[in-house]
Amino acid sequence: MNYDFNTIYNRESTYSVKYGLRKQLFGTEDIIPLWVADMDLAVAPEIVEALQKRVSHPIYGYTMQTDVFWESAQNWIKKRHQWEVASDELVFAPGIVPALGFLVQAFSDINDKVGIFTPVYPPFYENVKKNNRELVTFPLQNKNGRYYINFDEVEDAMKNGLKLIVFCNPHNPSGRMWQQEELLQLLDLCEKYNVNIISDEIHADLTLWGNKHVPFASLSEIAEQRVITCMAPSKTFNLAGLNCAYLIFKNEKLKAKYLQLVQHLHFDFGGTFATESMIAAYTQGENWYQALLQHIEKNISYVEENLSKTPIKTMHPDATYLLWLDCKELEPSGTLLKKFFYEKCKVGVQDGRQFGVDGVGFMRLNTATPFPIIKEAVDRIIKSI
């Protein structure tokens, strides 16, 4: 079946964050919004059909996550990542971002030191600081346009009482996939200093050019005891608005501690359309998913090839549909970069400073959109330069 990823849909009347906040974020609605990580692409028709079938029933009451729901996730994870996960190791969450906040609460105490690798997805900062933990940042080292971890810095922090790490795998915003040897090196330190890891793997399925994602918790028995994994169909299948995610606990004690915090809030309980969409995505979405990866690779390659002729450099991603643009040669100041992109180019990329001080001079661009939109955005950037 052929899937159409180049039709441009009008999202104006859909309460879309991506389009509805243009005036507030960019000062104008006359802009191509390529910032927040949702796609301007129609979801798999199999998912639409499943939702339409459910909508046709006029009662939308409380919905259970049954064996069918969990088996769809188990089978997807096994096929995609060669990782066996039992149904009783899975816990529903209405989104990874809110789950991260509860996980930080569950596995650290007020004023404990919690580490993140920067630049990184903005809610990581919020979920540490607003839970009254002490934020410890580990700036990633940029070597020839690729990020690396400074393990000496991490060990120093652990010696000084670091209690927890919130990790992004694959990395957002750069699309860097952490290799097995890197994960094992970090795991060794965590075991030595009794530090647990929350691993946000929401982009795990969006691996490009034949790359293979390594689930952190799959590495060893030690990893199973130390790592809590966060996954979801939302980025892969463009379902962010349906609030469906899940956590994987290989350690029963960690799972029990988390549930003790959230069960009385009914936070581990899902909605009707979240349930239907994930089952359809994981059981019927394979062909659409494979076609999507090809479309993203095409878009990224086009951006990289054309921007290579400009002062803007791209970090080549191993995964995700996000491109981290190094604009320091063009203009190192975040303020003037915003004026350039928003006022001159009329392209709404995301300000790198939102990802921390290590993001100054960078912008993040979402390529998961019809090719004509990507082409127009790139043309505007090149013309403006």
Side-chain angles (χ1 to χ4, degrees), residues 5 109 127 134 209 211 293 324 365 377:
F5 293 113
D109 295 320
N127 276 322
E134 181 181 338
W209 295 289
N211 287 305
L293 296 182
W324 194 226
L365 183 147

Side-chain angles (χ1 to χ4, degrees), residues 151-171:
F151 289 101
D152 291 336
E153 192 173 57
V154 175
E155 183 166 19
D156 286 342
M158 290 182 177
K159 289 177 180 177
N160 288 303
L162 189 78
K163 296 296 184 183
L164 182 68
I165 286 176
V166 185
F167 194 64
C168 198
N169 179 35
H171 180 250

Side-chain angles (χ1 to χ4, degrees), residues 50-85:
L51 290 174
Q52 287 174 335
K53 181 179 179 181
R54 181 62 186 88
V55 167
S56 68
H57 191 296
I59 299 175
Y60 311 125
Y62 295 120
T63 302
M64 299 185 298
Q65 282 71 59
T66 64
D67 290 344
V68 174
F69 179 84
W70 292 122
E71 285 168 5
S72 73
Q74 289 172 271
N75 293 336
W76 180 266
I77 294 167
K78 182 178 180 179
K79 180 177 182 179
R80 193 68 43 222
H81 308 298
Q82 295 74 57
W83 188 27
E84 296 274 1
V85 177

Side-chain angles (χ1 to χ4, degrees), residues 89-362:
E89 295 168 345
L90 295 160
V91 175
F92 182 90
I96 287 181
V97 171
L100 288 175
F102 283 120
L103 288 165
V104 168
Q105 289 181 35
F107 303 116
S108 64
D109 295 320
I110 290 176
N111 296 325
D112 274 352
K113 295 179 179 180
V114 179
I116 62 175
F117 295 87
T118 60
V120 75
Y121 183 50
F124 277 33
Y125 295 89
E126 299 168 7
N127 276 322
V128 176
K129 290 181 178 179
K130 292 188 177 180
N131 277 306
N132 299 311
R133 273 60 174 173
E134 181 181 338
L135 179 67
V136 179
T137 58
F138 303 118
L140 294 169
Q141 298 176 315
N142 187 346
K143 299 179 181 178
N144 299 316
R146 191 168 177 82
Y147 282 134
Y148 293 88
I149 295 171
N150 183 335
F151 289 101
D152 291 336
E153 192 173 57
V154 175
E155 183 166 19
D156 286 342
M158 290 182 177
K159 289 177 180 177
N160 288 303
L162 189 78
K163 296 296 184 183
L164 182 68
I165 286 176
V166 185
F167 194 64
C168 198
N169 179 35
H171 180 250
N172 176 6
S174 73
R176 169 77 151 87
M177 290 178 62
W178 305 108
Q179 301 303 303
Q180 182 169 319
E181 56 271 21
E182 295 172 301
L183 297 175
L184 287 171
Q185 189 171 353
L186 180 58
L187 182 64
D188 286 345
L189 292 175
C190 289
E191 178 69 5
K192 182 177 180 180
Y193 294 100
N194 192 27
V195 175
N196 289 327
I197 303 162
I198 302 166
S199 185
D200 177 358
E201 304 189 11
I202 195 171
H203 292 282
D205 299 328
L206 293 168
T207 52
L208 306 171
W209 295 289
N211 287 305
K212 297 293 184 182
H213 172 73
V214 180
F216 204 155
S218 72
L219 289 174
S220 66
E221 291 183 3
I222 293 174
E224 289 181 351
Q225 298 305 303
R226 290 268 170 218
V227 181
I228 304 103
T229 307
C230 307
M231 286 185 167
S234 53
K235 297 302 180 196
T236 311
F237 290 96
N238 201 25
L239 304 173
L242 296 181
N243 298 101
C244 185
Y246 51 90
L247 313 178
I248 304 171
F249 293 89
K250 288 286 183 175
N251 184 326
E252 177 59 35
K253 291 182 179 179
L254 294 184
K255 175 187 170 185
K257 190 171 184 180
Y258 172 78
L259 289 178
Q260 185 178 19
L261 177 65
V262 304
Q263 270 189 321
H264 70 284
L265 301 171
H266 299 273
F267 189 75
D268 59 327
F269 188 70
T272 301
F273 301 111
T275 302
E276 294 286 352
S277 66
M278 190 173 97
I279 293 171
Y282 282 165
T283 61
Q284 302 177 62
E286 175 72 25
N287 292 336
W288 180 92
Y289 162 73
Q290 294 295 341
L292 169 74
L293 296 182
Q294 294 178 22
H295 178 78
I296 292 170
E297 289 174 355
K298 175 184 174 182
N299 281 1
I300 289 175
S301 295
Y302 181 84
V303 177
E304 289 180 326
E305 179 182 351
N306 284 274
L307 290 189
S308 68
K309 306 166 188 175
T310 76
I312 298 174
K313 309 303 177 188
T314 58
M315 276 196 177
H316 183 68
D318 304 317
T320 83
Y321 48 72
L322 305 168
L323 266 182
W324 194 226
L325 307 180
D326 184 344
C327 306
K328 292 179 181 178
E329 187 178 330
L330 177 69
E331 208 295 303
S333 164
T335 301
L336 294 182
L337 277 177
K338 284 177 65 176
K339 291 176 71 66
F340 171 75
F341 279 101
Y342 303 167
E343 298 178 17
K344 192 169 185 179
C345 304
K346 300 290 187 180
V347 175
V349 289
Q350 190 161 1
D351 187 351
R353 295 177 299 178
Q354 295 179 3
F355 298 81
V357 294
D358 306 296
V360 173
F362 288 84

Side-chain angles (χ1 to χ4, degrees), residues 4-11 18-19 31-42 238 288 291-292 294-300 302-303 320-322 347 365-378:
D4 177 14
F5 293 113
N6 287 319
T7 294
I8 299 174
Y9 292 90
N10 185 341
R11 300 179 64 183
K18 190 173 190 177
Y19 285 79
I31 201 163
I32 300 175
L34 299 176
W35 61 289
V36 71
D38 81 359
M39 306 185 200
D40 286 320
L41 307 174
N238 201 25
W288 180 92
L292 169 74
Q294 294 178 22
H295 178 78
I296 292 170
E297 289 174 355
K298 175 184 174 182
N299 281 1
I300 289 175
Y302 181 84
V303 177
T320 83
Y321 48 72
L322 305 168
V347 175
L365 183 147
N366 178 348
T367 69
T369 197
F371 178 73
I373 293 179
I374 284 292
K375 185 177 185 305
E376 173 64 20
V378 171

